[in-house]
């Protein structure tokens, strides 16, 4: 590292100290061999007194487990109906990935905890279709998450919510991250994916104001392929919920997270 690089990093540390970053990590990243490098970067952020909350997805692990069990999932990303069999697989997938994250954080001397701090309610009937065990975030127990952060504990949030009677619901992880970031008044929401940022019709979007992105979604949502559409839609929702900045970064790049946080480009 050059001395000028270090000076550049030091410029940002006072701005972000004691602030909260919410990292929404795609399941593909958790299962990637380079996830260990991302965990080192997260440990560095904590060493600089930047508080990090992790929200993770489960879709590929859900598909893998469903195939292994001979189950046809009714939906894999938490945006459609979740039947009882799919929910059972989703809970197993979430537990496995959460455990893997906890192991990785422990390897970097970070304490972490998974809680039942996401209160959800059934999504109900949408366009005549019962969403069954698919849920929406009703409330985030911000007091609990703040208490964990104050004790130096990394909250790990799987895409599951619970109602007052103990029922479990499958929740879309992108939407979960928005709710957590908004309730915690996070300084940044960072979607960590395997893609080179947010891409529209083959072209990466480097920077864009929320009004511009909302306009682009209205005019040409079809230009966002696959997961890019979800990230774009939830980025707009996060900014409208007063999250100052939303980033979509490639988590497979060395120092991708640090480069995004500690540079003018990011």
């Amino acid at each position: 590292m050059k001395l000028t690089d270090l000076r550049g990093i030091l410029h940002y540390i006072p701005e972000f100290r004691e602030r909260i970053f919410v990292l929404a990590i795609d399941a593909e990243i958790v299962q990637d061999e380079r996830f260990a490098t991302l965990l080192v970067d997260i440990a560095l952020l904590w060493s600089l007194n930047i508080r990090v909350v992790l929200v993770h997805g489960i879709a590929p692990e859900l598909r893998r487990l469903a195939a292994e069990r001979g189950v046809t999932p009714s939906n894999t990303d938490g945006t459609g109906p979740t039947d009882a069999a799919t929910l059972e697989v989703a809970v197993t997938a979430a537990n496995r990935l959460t455990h893997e994250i906890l192991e990785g954080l422990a390897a970097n001397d970070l304490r972490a905890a998974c809680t039942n701090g996401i209160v959800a309610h059934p999504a109900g009937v949408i366009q005549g279709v019962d969403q069954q065990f698919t849920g929406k975030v009703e409330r985030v127990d911000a007091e609990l998450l703040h208490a964990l952060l104050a004790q130096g504990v990394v909250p790990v949030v799987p895409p599951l919510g619970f109602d007052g009677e103990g029922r479990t619901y499958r929740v879309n992880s992108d939407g979960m991250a928005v709710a957590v970031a908004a309730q915690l008044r996070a300084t940044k929401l960072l979607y960590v994916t395997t893609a080179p940022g947010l891409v529209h019709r083959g072209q990466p979007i480097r920077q864009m104001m929320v009004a511009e992105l909302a306009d682009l979604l209205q005019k040409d949502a079809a230009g966002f392929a696959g997961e890019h559409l979800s990230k774009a839609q939830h980025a707009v929702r996060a900014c409208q919920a007063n999250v100052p900045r939303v980033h979509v970064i490639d988590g497979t790049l060395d120092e991708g997270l640090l480069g995004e946080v500690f540079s003018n480009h990011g």
Side-chain angles (χ1 to χ4, degrees):
M1 177 180 289
K2 298 177 182 178
L3 181 59
T4 52
D5 295 335
L6 181 57
R7 286 173 178 163
I9 291 174
L10 292 174
H11 172 74
Y12 290 95
I13 292 174
E15 179 181 355
F16 296 142
R17 185 178 290 122
E18 303 298 336
R19 302 294 185 178
I20 296 173
F21 291 179
V22 173
L23 267 62
I25 305 175
D26 284 354
E28 292 91 341
I29 293 294
V30 178
Q31 297 175 316
D32 190 280
E33 61 183 10
R34 288 160 290 193
F35 182 53
T37 301
L38 179 65
L39 290 170
V40 172
D41 291 350
I42 291 171
L44 176 59
L45 293 180
W46 269 90
S47 73
L48 298 173
N49 291 322
I50 297 171
R51 306 309 183 199
V52 179
V53 178
L54 302 184
V55 178
H56 70 84
I58 60 171
E61 181 68 7
L62 190 160
R63 288 191 291 267
R64 188 188 70 78
L65 286 174
E68 190 178 276
R69 299 180 180 186
V71 172
T72 301
S74 56
N75 176 261
T76 60
D77 64 2
T79 60
T82 301
D83 60 24
T86 302
L87 178 65
E88 183 178 351
V89 177
V91 170
T92 302
N95 288 338
R96 287 189 179 185
L97 288 175
T98 297
H99 182 76
E100 191 169 341
I101 293 170
L102 293 175
E103 283 186 331
L105 293 170
N108 286 277
D109 295 323
L110 289 174
R111 294 185 297 160
C114 177
T115 77
N116 61 349
I118 304 299
V119 179
H121 64 264
V125 177
I126 300 177
Q127 296 181 343
V129 178
D130 185 357
Q131 302 301 296
Q132 301 181 67
F133 294 100
T134 296
K136 287 187 175 182
V137 177
E138 178 179 326
R139 180 174 60 86
V140 175
D141 191 340
E143 183 179 355
L144 172 60
L145 297 183
H146 278 300
L148 290 172
L149 292 169
Q151 293 297 318
V153 177
V154 181
V156 179
V157 183
L160 301 172
F162 307 87
D163 68 10
E165 298 180 10
R167 287 184 289 260
T168 302
Y169 297 95
R170 167 78 162 105
V171 181
N172 175 263
S173 61
D174 289 345
M176 178 84 79
V178 172
V180 172
Q183 287 296 309
L184 294 182
R185 298 182 180 179
T187 298
K188 290 180 182 290
L189 168 57
L190 300 104
Y191 285 108
V192 186
T193 75
T194 56
L198 192 62
V199 177
H200 181 263
R201 295 207 175 276
Q203 297 299 316
I205 297 175
R206 299 303 180 192
Q207 287 189 339
M208 185 173 283
M209 300 296 291
V210 62
E212 295 175 299
L213 182 55
D215 185 58
L216 183 59
L217 281 165
Q218 184 177 13
K219 292 179 178 177
D220 189 23
F224 292 98
E227 286 295 306
H228 294 278
L229 178 59
S230 176
K231 298 296 188 289
Q233 291 171 330
H234 285 95
V236 169
R237 290 168 187 162
C239 291
Q240 291 173 339
N242 297 318
V243 178
R245 284 188 177 273
V246 181
H247 307 251
V248 182
I249 66 174
D250 186 346
T252 67
L253 296 177
D254 287 339
E255 300 182 356
L257 173 59
L258 298 183
E260 187 72 13
V261 173
F262 297 122
S263 70
N264 288 329
H265 174 74

